[in-house]
Amino acid sequence: MPRSAAADTIGPLPARGSEYAVLMRRVRGAGLLERRLRYYVWKGAATAVAFAAGWAAFFVIGDSWWQLGTAVFLAVVFAQLAFLGHDAGHRQIFAGRRADYLFGVIAGNLGIGVSIGWWVSNHNRHHAHPNAEGSDPDVMGVLAHSGDRARTGTGIRRLIFRYQAWLFFPMLLLEAGSLHYASVRAVLRWPIPHRVLEGALLAAHTAGYLATVFLVLPPGKALVFLAVQQGLFGFYMGCTFAPNHKGMEVLAEGSSTDFLRRQVLTSRNVRGGLLIDTVLGGLNYQIEHHLFPSMPRPNLRRAKPMVEQFCLELDVPYCETGLADSYRQALRHLDTVGRLARPPAPAAADSGDTAKQ
């Protein structure tokens, strides 16, 4: 049974006297867990303006192949809405749970067609057990992240495992469809709170989105627009998630690793400035985000040197790399694991057995 979306804590709370508790006191003392409402007001307003401008341009351009440019723009805007929904799901924006939830269903369910209730439930399990096979849903999907899983794959799954490094980026074009499917299935089958509201908003998004596209464009162009906009939206989201954990340590099910090490050793940061922060929605500070899920996005950059120094004090490896290198590391890991799913080459026949007497 999936965890309720109403769960407020991400994973088991560390002991009060743990190393993590020491770091928590430093972070809290620096005011980095305090809400940054002004940031989210202008960030949300800018994203809403971009969303409205994109659809206004869609109506103005009308029946034209130039709409593919609009599709690309809206794919980016959808991803930015998803980042805001992510922050609301972690209760980073408002002090009250209800306000964060309402913001989440507007940005997620109504804005981009992804259930915030499903996402929070699924994502909580990931945060509690990152890169832990059998517990983290993000490593139990279509790809194999460990040799044990690669070797036990059968049928089409084994075939995907074999070539997963080559298939990874093409498969990201299907990510949006997977998010929509999972959202609908969760609203129909999972015991998520407010499922009627979530279902109604998902239906409103779908009806409004499809009606708008097919009213303005003829069927052929409408289908191409949908494929490009949704495909690139999913591709963008997948490219955002890929650097975070792929290629990092994979924990065995039931691992007893303590909270701080579990979060740090399985996560990778991506270095960069304001552009990377914006493009990746703050998820480039994956280590800090996993250690402090409710920390507002703009505070993650300020927490980074504090966390890095603390890891140095404890001799805990702190992984940070550039964006391109993060993809290389992820693909290298997927290829290494995928090779284990390939059948071994047949042994050469013993010449003595085949020689004619």
Side-chain angles (χ1 to χ4, degrees):
M1 182 70 68
R3 284 184 55 181
S4 168
D8 293 327
T9 57
I10 307 291
L13 292 176
R16 182 174 179 80
S18 67
E19 293 165 333
Y20 175 78
V22 175
L23 178 60
M24 171 65 84
R25 285 194 290 272
R26 294 184 186 181
V27 167
R28 193 184 299 278
L32 298 181
L33 294 179
E34 296 176 3
R35 296 293 176 262
R36 296 286 299 277
L37 187 57
R38 182 175 300 178
Y39 167 86
Y40 282 108
V41 167
W42 76 256
K43 191 73 172 180
T47 305
V49 168
F51 183 84
W55 286 114
F58 180 83
F59 281 105
V60 171
I61 294 172
D63 182 2
S64 168
W65 285 111
W66 287 108
Q67 292 287 18
L68 296 185
T70 311
V72 174
F73 177 78
L74 285 172
V76 174
V77 175
F78 271 39
Q80 292 298 318
L81 276 173
F83 295 147
L84 288 170
H86 166 273
D87 293 1
H90 278 295
R91 299 186 59 189
Q92 296 177 13
I93 302 176
F94 302 101
R97 181 191 312 171
R98 183 185 298 273
D100 275 315
Y101 178 75
L102 289 176
F103 189 97
V105 293
I106 292 172
N109 296 58
L110 186 60
I112 61 175
V114 175
S115 164
I116 192 68
W118 162 76
W119 180 85
V120 168
S121 177
N122 197 67
H123 198 60
N124 278 359
R125 290 183 288 149
H126 160 69
H127 267 265
H129 305 282
N131 270 22
E133 290 203 319
S135 302
D136 181 359
D138 289 359
V139 298
M140 298 305 293
V142 71
L143 303 177
H145 294 266
S146 72
D148 288 343
R149 186 152 191 261
R151 283 186 287 265
T152 57
T154 58
I156 186 65
R157 186 179 293 274
R158 185 180 183 89
L159 183 64
I160 292 174
F161 289 168
R162 288 183 194 175
Y163 304 105
Q164 59 184 6
W166 295 95
L167 294 174
F168 177 70
F169 283 112
M171 286 194 300
L172 292 184
L173 295 169
L174 304 176
E175 178 66 17
S178 175
L179 294 173
H180 298 318
Y181 171 75
S183 295
V184 172
R185 182 181 60 182
V187 168
L188 293 177
R189 299 181 181 179
W190 288 20
I192 61 174
H194 314 296
R195 57 192 300 176
V196 174
L197 172 63
E198 295 222 10
L201 291 177
L202 285 179
H205 166 83
T206 303
Y209 179 76
L210 294 178
T212 298
V213 172
F214 280 95
L215 282 174
V216 172
L217 298 177
K221 287 179 182 174
L223 291 174
V224 173
F225 176 91
L226 293 174
V228 172
Q229 198 271 330
Q230 290 291 304
L232 291 182
F233 166 45
F235 187 83
Y236 185 169
M237 296 306 298
C239 287
T240 299
F241 302 148
N244 300 343
H245 301 284
K246 289 176 175 57
M248 298 304 295
E249 185 170 343
V250 177
L251 303 176
E253 187 171 2
S255 170
S256 60
T257 307
D258 67 88
F259 180 84
L260 185 144
R261 288 167 178 78
R262 184 163 72 244
Q263 304 301 334
V264 175
L265 297 178
T266 61
S267 302
R268 178 195 294 111
N269 274 16
V270 176
R271 69 173 63 95
L274 181 60
L275 177 61
I276 292 295
D277 290 2
T278 302
V279 170
L280 299 185
L283 297 179
N284 45 313
Y285 302 107
Q286 191 67 196
I287 295 173
E288 289 71 31
H289 171 58
H290 261 257
L291 288 171
F292 308 102
S294 64
M295 180 180 288
R297 190 195 310 183
N299 289 348
L300 295 170
R301 171 181 283 273
R302 296 169 56 198
K304 176 187 175 299
M306 189 178 299
V307 173
E308 191 171 11
Q309 175 60 34
F310 191 73
C311 288
L312 182 64
E313 293 173 15
L314 298 179
D315 197 24
V316 174
Y318 181 100
C319 182
E320 183 180 46
T321 186
L323 183 61
D325 193 45
S326 73
Y327 291 134
R328 281 194 291 269
Q329 291 181 24
L331 291 176
R332 188 183 305 122
H333 173 75
L334 291 176
D335 181 62
T336 300
V337 172
R339 290 175 184 275
L340 300 177
R342 301 172 188 175
D350 189 329
S351 59
D353 293 338
T354 57
K356 293 184 180 294
Q357 300 298 324

